[in-house]
Each structure stands twice: as C-alpha cells, then as structure tokens.
Amino acid sequence: MHLTPIGDGALLLEPGVALDPSEPDHYLTTILELLAERGCQRLIYDLRECVVVDEIYYGWLTRLASACRICGVEMVVANVQPAAAYTLARRLSDDPPFRCFLDVDRARCG
Amino acid sequence: MERKQRPTVVKSTHEILIDQLKTNLGHLSAVIEEQGKALFVEAGILGAQDVHEYTLEFLELFVMWLQAGSRIGARTPELAALEQFFSGFARQLQIRGARLETFVRYVQSLQRVLIEELEESEQYSFEQSREVLLLLARVFNQLVLDVFQAYLREKEQTIELQQEELRQTSTPITEIWDGVLTLPIIGSLDSSRAMIVMEKLLTRIEKERARVVVMDVTGVLAIDSQVSHYLIQMVRAIGLMGAEAILTGIRPDIARALTSLNIDLGNVTTRGTLSDGLKEAFRRLGIEVRVVARE
C-alpha cells in the first residue's frame, strides 16, 4: 500500500496487490493518522490495479470512506476499471457512499 | 413358374450386397448418376461432372463399408468415412442453395436403387432380402439423421451469430463531442443485451475518457421493471467509472408505467429529448452552443 501526498490537501492511496481487504483494522489507523498529520481534506483511492471489487473489497472501501468522513476527510475513488464497475453496479442496490472519478487528476480537482 | 436353385452356402447380408455390387456395378453406377442428375443438374445445383464424381466416391465408400465384414453393424472407420462423405455432400448442396429435402430425396433414391436391384435378383431367400433391406434402411436412416443434426446445428450457429451481430450493431456508441458519448438504445433490452451494452459502454468511457453519457431510450418500445432495473444499473456503472449519465427519450406512456410500477428514477438525470440531453451534457462541461447569425 502506497500513500502519497499529491498537493491541494489530497493524499493518494494506491492499495497494491498485497492489501488484504478482509482486515481493515490493519490499515485504518495508519491511513487516518497520516491524513491528520498532513492536514488532508481528501483521500483519493486509486483502483487502477484492482480489476475485481467483490463484496469484501467493497466492504473495505465503504468502511474506509465512513472512517474518513468521521475525521472530516472526503474519500473519493479514481480509476475504477470497467469490469469492476460492471460487477459492482450489478450488485449494489444503492449508490456508493463515495464519489468516483475517471482518473486521479479529476479526483484531485473535482 | 420355375424357381431358381437357391445357393447352398448361406451368405451374410454384406456378402449379398457385395455380390450385387460386383455383378452390377456399372449398371448401379449409371442409375445412381442418372438419379443425381435428375435431382441436381436439372435444378442447376451441381454440374454433371460433380454428380459423376460424387457417385463414384459414394460407391467406393459404400463398398469399403460393406467390406468391414462382421463389424458392419458397428461404428467402424468405414462407416465414419461414409458419414463424412454425406455430411460434406450435404454441406456442398446447402452452399449451392439446395434444400435439405433434396438431399433426403437423393439418399432415398440411393436406397431405392439398391433395393430394386435386389428385388430383380431371385437368388436370395425372403429372409436374406429382408435382412439386406433392414440393414440398408438402418444405415441410410442413420446417415440422413446425422446430416439433419449437422444441418440443424449449423442453422442454430448461424442464428446465434446473426443475433450476436445484431446485438453488436444495435448499440452504436458515438463520441458526439470530446468527453460526451451518446448511446441510443433501440428495441428491447433483455439481460444479455444489457450486459453487452454495459460492457461496451464502460470500455468506451475508459477509452475516450468520457465525462458524460447520454442514453436515449426513444427507440425502446416498452420499459418494464426489469428493463428499468438494467437502466438503473447502467447509470450506476457509469457513475462508478467517474462519468455522469443523462437518460433521455422516456415517452409519457412509459413514464406513467414506471410510476405505476413504483420505479424511482429520482437519482437519475433525465431530459425529454436527446437534444435536451446533449444541451445538458454541454452545460455540465461548460460548453456553450450558440447560433451564429449569418449576414
């Protein structure tokens, strides 16, 4: 998992393949602490490398978005892959609790 | 009437047929060729030379099959070769525009020629003739059935391919402006089509870096709860990709039906016409379209 400050009060999170979405508690504190430390208002979660967003992964995303909101940070998602968007759209009954952007640049400005 | 002396050696069915072919090969070949010409040459399906070659090939394979001896009832390579010949022959006829029933009539004529030859010969007992008839009927029926099954399979494949082609061409996604895609949906929207449309659309959004997608349903005849469900899924998928969806062309009768089905499109941006949808898309992108006054 890579966390990179990218300016404009945004922190870019690139999860990488090693992230285990079934263990959110392993990551939440680290991420929230860094967000607070850097005074970020936005966390951009980059899903470029994530082709499959299953129930567990989606659960992790909603949990992170919820934790960010409590800390006064907006989590947005960028680079959702077509296959992931397709499977998620078929499974979800409501809109996700985070905004989605086509890429990181738009997520930073949006 | 004086009957001929029956042979003392009891011949098996295939031996009888081999004998018959050996004795009358020239005649049989001529009759079969004649039948083929009557069916195919006169109808302009095959040339006389084609019929001649097919006749010879058939007789050659038929003799090879008979020579399988005691294995004649089993699925021998010789029988497979015969089946392959008929499948290829039927395919050629299909390519040249012949109907399947023409092929069936040809196979029946082959059978009839062989049976008539047998009837003319008085050297075999009733039981022997009956055995030969049964064998011929069984084999030729099986050959026709094989060809018919292959024909049906090919038809089904053709229909599936045509349906696929229709599905692919019936969802033209166009980039009408930088970052604006239009998707006119025409006809009915079932599960498989919704799946294809959604896949193509999401890939195009990624490829074109699209920001707004205008989905026009003017050409959709009816929207029931299932179709509206697919539309909502598409709108959600577009949103997940980071683009915005605008739904246009919902006719008044469809809008009324949707309300009676308690389907809420509250989260979906809708506009009456495709034109209005495009204006909304441009507005969101900060594009202004103006009429330039002509001198």
Side-chain angles (χ1 to χ4, degrees):
Chain A
M1 185 172 71
H2 294 285
L3 285 157
T4 318
I6 54 170
D8 297 328
L11 188 75
L12 177 66
L13 191 162
E14 294 163 294
V17 287
L19 183 133
D20 180 2
S22 63
E23 297 287 348
D25 293 328
H26 283 186
Y27 313 104
L28 277 176
T29 315
T30 314
I31 296 168
L32 295 173
E33 276 175 0
L34 193 65
L35 284 167
E37 198 180 290
R38 298 274 177 169
C40 295
Q41 289 92 47
R42 178 168 292 187
L43 173 69
I44 302 171
Y45 197 109
D46 190 350
L47 279 174
R48 180 181 295 279
E49 303 298 327
C50 193
V51 181
V52 179
V53 178
D54 59 10
E55 212 164 313
I56 295 169
Y57 206 102
Y58 185 69
W60 150 246
L61 289 176
T62 53
R63 176 117 187 251
L64 180 59
S66 173
C68 285
R69 201 177 310 112
I70 292 166
C71 298
V73 175
E74 183 194 18
M75 183 187 107
V76 296
V77 170
N79 288 318
V80 179
Q81 295 303 296
Y86 176 83
T87 46
L88 259 184
R90 285 175 74 89
R91 200 170 43 240
L92 295 182
S93 53
D94 286 310
D95 288 337
F98 43 79
R99 291 194 292 156
C100 298
F101 292 90
L102 197 60
D103 51 42
V104 173
D105 275 346
R106 289 181 195 178
R108 190 165 60 174
C109 308
Chain B
M1 193 178 165
E2 191 185 323
R3 287 186 67 86
K4 283 186 179 176
Q5 186 76 35
R6 283 183 187 165
T8 48
V9 179
V10 178
K11 289 188 175 181
S12 65
T13 315
H14 63 275
E15 285 170 336
I16 294 170
L17 277 165
I18 289 172
D19 277 357
Q20 207 186 342
L21 281 170
K22 274 182 184 166
T23 321
N24 303 311
L25 190 61
H27 174 65
L28 270 173
S29 175
V31 176
I32 290 171
E33 199 170 321
E34 201 179 307
Q35 300 270 6
K37 281 179 183 167
L39 276 169
F40 305 124
V41 179
E42 284 172 24
I45 299 163
L46 293 175
Q49 185 59 29
D50 294 328
V51 173
H52 176 70
E53 283 167 13
Y54 277 122
T55 305
L56 291 184
E57 195 178 345
F58 161 69
L59 284 169
E60 190 182 336
L61 291 169
F62 191 65
V63 170
M64 276 168 63
W65 169 67
L66 289 172
Q67 284 170 341
S70 58
R71 297 179 295 124
I72 203 161
R75 290 202 62 82
T76 54
E78 292 84 358
L79 181 62
L82 202 55
E83 283 172 347
Q84 205 173 346
F85 164 76
F86 276 105
S87 298
F89 183 49
R91 203 172 300 119
Q92 278 303 315
L93 293 179
Q94 254 180 279
I95 291 166
R96 290 163 195 233
R99 298 171 68 175
L100 188 66
E101 64 188 60
T102 313
F103 170 77
V104 175
R105 287 224 306 273
Y106 177 66
V107 176
Q108 284 172 342
S109 75
L110 293 177
Q111 199 175 346
R112 199 169 49 243
V113 170
L114 292 166
I115 291 167
E116 278 170 2
E117 281 296 316
L118 193 72
E119 279 172 352
E120 283 171 18
S121 165
E122 291 183 346
Q123 59 178 312
Y124 304 115
S125 68
F126 172 75
E127 284 76 19
Q128 283 175 315
S129 300
R130 199 190 63 157
E131 285 297 313
V132 173
L133 287 178
L134 282 175
L135 177 70
L136 288 176
R138 195 172 66 236
V139 167
F140 281 99
N141 284 344
Q142 188 58 49
L143 290 171
V144 169
L145 197 65
D146 288 344
V147 168
F148 190 67
Q149 280 169 344
Y151 172 81
L152 278 184
R153 270 199 305 275
E154 209 159 300
K155 277 270 175 197
E156 280 168 9
Q157 276 174 355
T158 307
I159 291 168
E160 276 172 23
L161 284 172
Q162 284 170 340
Q163 281 177 338
E164 179 58 26
E165 198 178 323
L166 198 64
R167 275 197 288 264
Q168 295 290 342
T169 52
S170 64
T171 49
I173 301 166
T174 313
E175 190 185 26
I176 205 155
W177 197 273
D178 286 345
V180 181
L181 295 179
T182 56
L183 168 65
I185 302 172
I186 296 158
S188 56
L189 195 65
D190 59 12
S191 172
S192 66
R193 189 171 171 213
M195 204 167 74
I196 291 165
V197 171
M198 195 135 81
E199 275 178 9
K200 281 179 73 177
L201 183 60
L202 299 179
T203 310
R204 280 296 290 273
I205 290 171
E206 193 196 26
K207 188 182 162 202
E208 312 288 355
R209 319 303 293 161
R211 293 173 64 182
V212 185
V213 178
V214 183
M215 294 197 304
D216 184 60
V217 293
T218 311
V220 176
L221 299 175
I223 297 182
D224 57 13
S225 58
Q226 195 61 44
V227 174
S228 63
H229 183 61
Y230 295 140
L231 289 173
I232 290 168
Q233 277 184 356
M234 277 190 210
V235 169
R236 187 164 291 139
I238 292 166
L240 285 163
M241 290 291 296
E244 293 174 72
I246 299 168
L247 193 60
T248 67
I250 299 179
R251 295 196 306 273
D253 55 324
I254 290 176
R256 185 182 52 79
L258 287 176
T259 55
S260 68
L261 288 166
N262 283 327
I263 290 160
D264 183 20
L265 292 179
N267 294 332
V268 183
T269 305
T270 55
R271 289 293 181 270
T273 62
L274 179 60
S275 163
D276 288 340
L278 287 173
K279 283 176 194 159
E280 175 60 21
F282 292 151
R283 192 189 65 74
R284 290 186 184 193
L285 295 178
I287 298 163
E288 190 184 352
V289 180
R290 280 189 302 157
V291 178
V292 179
R294 286 188 183 168
E295 296 247 332

